[in-house]
């Protein structure tokens, strides 16, 4: 029987996807028993993926792919396969941990019902991390409510379930910023590390009669954290070092109950890093939209080509070589490119992790549609992308001609070296992408496509590829919500590698 997984703060399901996809000799080792997510749209994504997993490998019905291509509705799909849909609803629970609407007793019963008599199971998840992130802390440094923000302490919901249900193994993920985060001058990470090692001390309502402790391990170095001996930085997993086409650095803790005597393996470093172009170059080329003006291919091209006659290109900040390169790409741009849609027909052919990403039944690309940008941002995007191509670096604000600088109050401060000097960041084609974050839902300035002729930010599907979501993973909701889901997720292919380590622990204990 597969080992049950309880997934807390599941988001769209990236961590759970990696575990549920892991196979040993063709047999599933883990099964998502329950995934809990409060966001209604992320929950819809989670539920649809749970439906997909009700079918044996490579045997999802044609109607699933019709749903992905927009030919039938979600309701029609679930109605035709009502048993599988009901199982998916039981697996993916729309609930908010810690909310008055979902008592601890209700949550505990749902977990007990899911685990049943199984003694072998795994708790996974990442408490919401906005309060720990460096950007979030910077933006709220003068906010008097920051120290009392419940997001600081949502990990206590994770901790409570750990203490009450005592899984033999847990995996907890969070942002790197938690290592330096403090509340009331106390270090967050130090407190979390202590609480996870001895959860009964922090959860008095748990059964205190039976001792409970956990040994914490890093996934990148062979050393148990017995007395807080592991330097905090050693818990950081740099995803680009493990075959993920993205420089995503996250804290990941592997906890093993103290009565298990095992030392886990560590992640295996990839032989080489995966550049962004290997992850997304097979996706159909698209143009950006033109916002606040009539959007057509002709108008889009005319708006961009207005840059050629702009005084911006005459400024001394633009070298002759860069000026020539920009004018060349402008002359070769086409107004025939489309903006894409929620499903674009085509033949996916990724240049890495082919068996992981591709699904032969899927005759196209989901969630591959561009956003609109104002004319001035299109000029900035084209300048930045061509600058990066020519100079082999993404430009900072001081590299921009004055005419292309954004009309923001703090531009001068940013140019002198303060925060957000790189607010227009090009993803360099021969390197892993920068971290795909939830901020991608706000604007595309940090996620400019490396191809200046497309002159746009990344699509949801491109971001999902960089996160290593399989192509048949569909994100529900409006585009902003899709971006947010992708940015908050754990890369499933990284989670798969963690699942391999966890699976070996259970074999060793059998």
């Amino acid at each position: 029987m597969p080992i049950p997984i309880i997934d807390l703060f599941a988001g769209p399901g990236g961590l759970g996807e990696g575990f549920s996809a892991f196979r040993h000799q063709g047999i599933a080792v883990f099964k998502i028993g329950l995934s809990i997510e409060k966001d209604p749209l992320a929950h819809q994504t989670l539920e649809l993926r749970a439906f997909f997993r009700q079918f044996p490998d490579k045997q999802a019905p044609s109607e699933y792919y019709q749903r992905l291509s927009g030919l039938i509705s979600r309701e029609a799909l679930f109605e035709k396969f009502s048993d599988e849909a009901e199982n998916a609803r039981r697996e993916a629970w729309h609930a908010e941990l810690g909310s008055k609407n979902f008592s601890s007793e209700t949550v505990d019963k749902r977990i007990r019902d899911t685990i049943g008599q199984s003694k072998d199971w795994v708790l996974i998840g990442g408490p919401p991390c906005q309060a720990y992130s460096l950007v979030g802390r910077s933006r709220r440094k003068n906010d008097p409510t920051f120290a009392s923000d419940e997001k600081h302490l949502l990990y206590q919901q994770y901790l409570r379930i750990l203490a009450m249900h005592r899984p033999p193994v847990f995996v907890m993920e969070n942002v790197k910023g938690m290592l330096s985060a403090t509340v009331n001058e106390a270090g967050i990470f130090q407190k979390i590390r202590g609480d996870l090692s001895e959860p009964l001390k922090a959860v008095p309502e748990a059964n205190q009669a039976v001792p409970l402790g956990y040994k914490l391990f890093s996934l990148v170095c062979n050393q148990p954290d017995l007395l807080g001996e592991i330097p905090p930085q050693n818990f950081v997993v740099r995803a680009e070092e493990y075959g993920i086409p993205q420089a995503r650095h996250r804290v990941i803790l592997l906890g093993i109950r103290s009565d298990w005597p095992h030392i886990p393996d560590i992640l295996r470093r990839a032989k080489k890093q995966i550049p962004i172009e290997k992850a997304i170059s097979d996706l159909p080329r698209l143009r950006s939209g033109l916002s606040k003006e009539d959007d057509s291919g002709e108008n889009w091209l005319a708006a961009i080509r207005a840059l050629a006659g702009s005084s911006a290109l005459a400024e001394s900040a633009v070298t002759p070589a860069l000026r020539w390169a920009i004018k060349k790409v402008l002359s070769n741009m086409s107004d025939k490119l489309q903006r894409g849609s929620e499903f674009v027909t085509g033949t996916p052919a990724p240049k890495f992790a082919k068996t992981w990403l591709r699904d032969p039944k899927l005759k196209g690309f989901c969630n591959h549609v561009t956003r609109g940008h104002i004319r001035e941002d299109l000029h900035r995007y084209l300048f930045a992308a061509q600058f990066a191509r020519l100079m082999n670096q993404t430009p900072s604000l001081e590299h921009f001609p004055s005419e292309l600088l954004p009309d923001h109050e703090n531009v001068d401060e940013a140019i002198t070296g303060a925060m957000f000097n790189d607010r227009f960041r090009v993803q360099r084609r021969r390197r892993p992408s920068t971290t795909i974050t939830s901020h991608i839902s706000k604007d595309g300035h940090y996620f400019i496509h490396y191809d200046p002729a497309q002159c746009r930010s990344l699509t949801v599907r491109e971001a999902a590829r960089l996160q290593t979501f399989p192509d048949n993973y569909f994100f529900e909701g409006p585009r902003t919500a899709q971006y947010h889901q992708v940015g908050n997720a754990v890369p499933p292919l990284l989670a798969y590698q963690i699942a391999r380590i966890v699976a070996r622990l259970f074999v060793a204990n059998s």
Side-chain angles (χ1 to χ4, degrees), residues 203-358:
V203 186
E205 66 269 29
N207 180 4
Q208 303 288 326
V210 181
L212 175 66
Y214 286 91
K215 295 169 289 185
L216 303 184
F217 292 87
S218 161
L219 291 169
V220 297
C221 72
N222 280 316
Q223 180 184 358
D225 191 36
L226 298 177
L227 298 170
E229 297 168 345
I230 299 181
Q233 288 295 330
N234 283 6
F235 288 103
V236 176
V237 176
R238 293 167 173 81
E240 71 274 19
E241 296 178 359
Y242 303 97
I244 309 302
Q246 176 192 172
R248 188 181 194 88
H249 300 170
R250 291 291 186 266
V251 172
I252 303 181
L253 301 170
L254 173 61
I256 302 176
R257 207 171 56 207
S258 297
D259 58 315
W260 278 34
H262 313 297
I263 303 294
D265 295 332
I266 59 174
L267 292 167
R268 305 169 186 169
R269 288 178 182 268
K271 293 181 179 179
K272 56 184 178 181
Q273 295 185 3
I274 308 297
I276 183 175
E277 65 177 350
K278 280 197 171 185
I280 69 171
S281 61
D282 65 305
L283 273 69
R285 298 177 74 247
L286 304 174
R287 70 170 178 87
S288 54
L290 181 61
S291 65
K292 300 186 179 179
E293 300 182 50
D294 181 33
D295 180 36
S296 67
E298 290 182 356
N299 289 345
W300 172 81
L301 184 58
I304 295 175
R305 282 183 171 169
L307 177 62
S310 167
S311 60
L313 296 190
E315 292 189 29
S316 59
V318 183
T319 65
L322 180 55
R323 185 179 302 112
W324 179 85
I326 289 173
K327 289 187 175 181
K328 182 178 180 181
V329 74
L330 285 170
S331 66
N332 291 331
M333 289 177 72
S334 170
D335 62 0
K336 304 303 181 186
L337 292 180
Q338 302 298 310
R339 291 192 58 188
S341 67
E342 286 303 305
F343 187 80
V344 180
T345 57
T347 304
K351 296 180 180 178
F352 90 108
K354 298 177 183 178
T355 56
W356 175 267
L357 295 169
R358 285 188 68 244

Side-chain angles (χ1 to χ4, degrees), residues 2-23:
I3 298 167
I5 299 287
I6 303 294
D7 189 1
L8 308 181
F9 311 103
L15 189 54
E17 175 69 12
F19 272 81
S20 64
F22 183 76
R23 300 287 184 271

Side-chain angles (χ1 to χ4, degrees), residues 132-145:
Y132 303 147
S133 73
L134 296 177
V135 172
R137 283 150 53 193
S138 173
R139 287 174 177 159
R140 297 187 60 189
K141 62 184 178 181
N142 297 319
D143 183 350
T145 67

Side-chain angles (χ1 to χ4, degrees), residues 47 50-51 54 78 83-93:
E47 188 178 71
F51 172 85
Q54 302 306 311
F78 281 13
D83 290 344
E84 289 83 358
E86 185 56 34
N87 290 338
R89 292 187 184 100
R90 280 196 294 269
E91 176 184 317
W93 188 20

Side-chain angles (χ1 to χ4, degrees), residues 380 397 405-416 418-420 423-424:
R380 295 177 185 117
L397 286 181
L405 290 173
D407 185 20
H408 294 164
E409 292 181 0
N410 60 352
V411 164
D412 290 340
E413 182 183 358
I415 290 175
T416 59
M419 206 168 183
F420 308 125
R423 68 181 64 192
F424 294 97

